[in-house]
Amino acid sequence: MPRIFLPIRLAAALVAIALTLAGCSRIGIAYNTGDFLVKTYAKDYLDLEQAQLKRWEPLLGAELTRHRAEELPYLAAYFDHILAASEAGFDASNMACLTGEFRDLYRRQARFAVNLAAPLLAELTPAQIERLDERFRKEAAEDRAEIAERSTTREKEKRARRYVKSIEDWTGRLNAEQQAIVMDVTGRMPDTQASLVEYRTAKRERLMALIRGKAPEPEIKRFLTDWLVDFSDLPPDLEQGGQVLGERIGELFVSLGKTLDASQQDRLNKRLRSLRDDFMKLQRQPRMAQMTC
């Protein structure tokens, strides 16, 4: 899978906690040690010095406090809406709404990550800049080599297996009919990996030019926001691919939802309810944000 840059990894990690952990104690441990996890990741990825981390720690603490107060209500509300859709039955209408809400939720997490990354990137030393550039170039070369060796048929099979495994974490084992639905729908998902690698490589090169030119933090933050939050110059094929992917995921929810037996439905709803409640309990003043659905 092609690599993603530091801010998106941080944002994705927050959503991944919600999507892969069940039970308040496990989510609580991951969330309540977020400062350590994020600091360790940033240190390793950017090869930061202790003094740089020390200057960054107050911002990290403030942003995590803000995240708890302002972003957890959105995560709680989102899982509440998925639960309501699951109980009512997934259909084109509620899936369109949930897809839109997920995009909004992602942007909120990405903005949080950009706020953390910009000051670090603005004060990298020349040696750190060269190491980051070398890392970017190595990752781009590896991604291009992997894409060149890909088999379309094999990639579709691997994608279907990944989706089956992920879905079974939520529903329990899928039967042959359900696995066939997953294979059919995922087989019609767009393949934009080559375009994504080239787009990301170009953006990374522009970012490195800004860092080498000693661009101030606000300029780096604007660049990252345009790129990773607002998608302001996303190529048409990637924009269209994202739209089609959302449609296919909606189709997958609707098609599979009609085939879930009582045990699968109960397991799914129980987990969604647990996650919603977990994100409520993690808040100091529990609430659910007002979202579009």
Side-chain angles (χ1 to χ4, degrees):
M1 179 181 295
R3 283 87 168 177
I4 47 183
F5 178 57
L6 172 66
I8 294 304
R9 284 183 171 174
L10 295 177
L14 293 167
V15 178
I17 288 172
L19 295 178
T20 60
L21 299 180
C24 183
S25 61
R26 294 178 67 193
I27 291 180
I29 290 171
Y31 191 84
N32 290 324
T33 58
D35 56 345
F36 171 77
L37 297 173
V38 173
K39 185 165 60 176
T40 299
Y41 182 84
K43 179 180 184 298
D44 291 345
Y45 197 90
L46 297 176
D47 196 21
L48 298 175
E49 298 170 357
Q50 198 60 39
Q52 291 170 312
L53 287 171
K54 198 72 174 177
R55 289 192 293 272
W56 186 57
E57 284 176 350
L59 173 64
L60 175 60
E63 279 295 304
L64 287 171
T65 298
R66 184 194 64 78
H67 191 277
R68 182 186 291 270
E70 298 180 11
E71 304 304 334
L72 289 187
Y74 282 91
L75 284 164
Y78 186 66
F79 283 99
D80 186 60
H81 291 178
I82 302 176
L83 174 62
S86 177
E87 291 175 335
F90 294 113
D91 57 32
S93 177
N94 57 36
M95 280 311 306
C97 192
L98 289 171
T99 300
E101 285 188 342
F102 182 81
R103 291 194 184 104
D104 292 341
L105 188 65
Y106 163 81
R107 285 188 168 95
R108 295 185 70 90
Q109 310 315 307
R111 194 176 299 277
F112 161 79
V114 166
N115 290 344
L116 289 176
L120 291 176
L121 295 172
E123 70 159 30
L124 293 180
T125 66
Q128 289 168 335
I129 292 170
E130 291 310 311
R131 285 193 290 269
L132 180 60
D133 185 56
E134 181 181 354
R135 181 169 193 159
F136 282 170
R137 292 179 185 277
K138 179 181 178 181
E139 291 180 352
E142 290 174 349
D143 288 338
R144 285 168 172 153
E146 180 182 333
I147 289 170
E149 296 174 357
R150 293 171 76 199
S151 159
T152 300
T153 300
R154 187 166 61 249
E155 286 302 313
K156 287 184 178 182
E157 292 172 350
K158 288 168 58 179
R159 183 196 300 157
R161 288 197 296 269
R162 288 196 301 268
Y163 271 80
V164 167
K165 184 177 184 300
S166 178
I167 293 166
E168 288 184 336
D169 285 341
W170 292 81
T171 65
R173 186 168 180 81
L174 299 180
N175 60 38
E177 176 193 359
Q178 292 167 331
Q179 291 188 36
I181 291 172
V182 176
M183 183 170 294
D184 170 56
V185 176
T186 60
R188 291 183 283 109
M189 287 179 173
D191 182 359
T192 58
Q193 292 301 327
S195 295
L196 178 60
V197 167
E198 296 310 313
Y199 170 69
R200 189 190 59 241
T201 299
K203 299 299 287 187
R204 283 177 164 184
E205 290 173 353
R206 174 59 182 148
L207 175 63
M208 293 308 304
L210 289 174
I211 296 172
R212 280 201 176 92
K214 298 298 180 183
E217 178 188 331
E219 186 175 352
I220 292 176
K221 184 175 180 179
R222 282 195 300 273
F223 175 80
L224 292 176
T225 300
D226 288 344
W227 171 18
L228 301 170
V229 179
D230 297 331
F231 312 121
S232 60
D233 65 348
L234 198 65
D237 64 327
L238 290 180
E239 184 171 0
Q240 182 179 8
Q243 292 173 350
V244 173
L245 178 61
E247 293 170 1
R248 294 290 174 267
I249 290 175
E251 179 185 350
L252 185 58
F253 269 71
V254 173
S255 298
L256 272 182
K258 295 175 181 177
T259 71
L260 296 180
D261 62 29
S263 175
Q264 290 171 322
Q265 188 73 60
D266 182 67
R267 175 169 168 160
L268 173 62
N269 291 351
K270 183 177 180 179
R271 184 138 182 225
L272 290 169
R273 190 176 296 110
S274 176
L275 284 165
R276 177 201 63 191
D277 294 346
D278 291 347
F279 282 112
M280 292 291 287
K281 292 173 185 175
L282 281 170
Q283 300 177 56
R284 293 190 171 90
Q285 296 180 313
R287 67 184 180 90
M288 282 192 280
Q290 185 68 38
M291 299 181 76
T292 56
C293 293

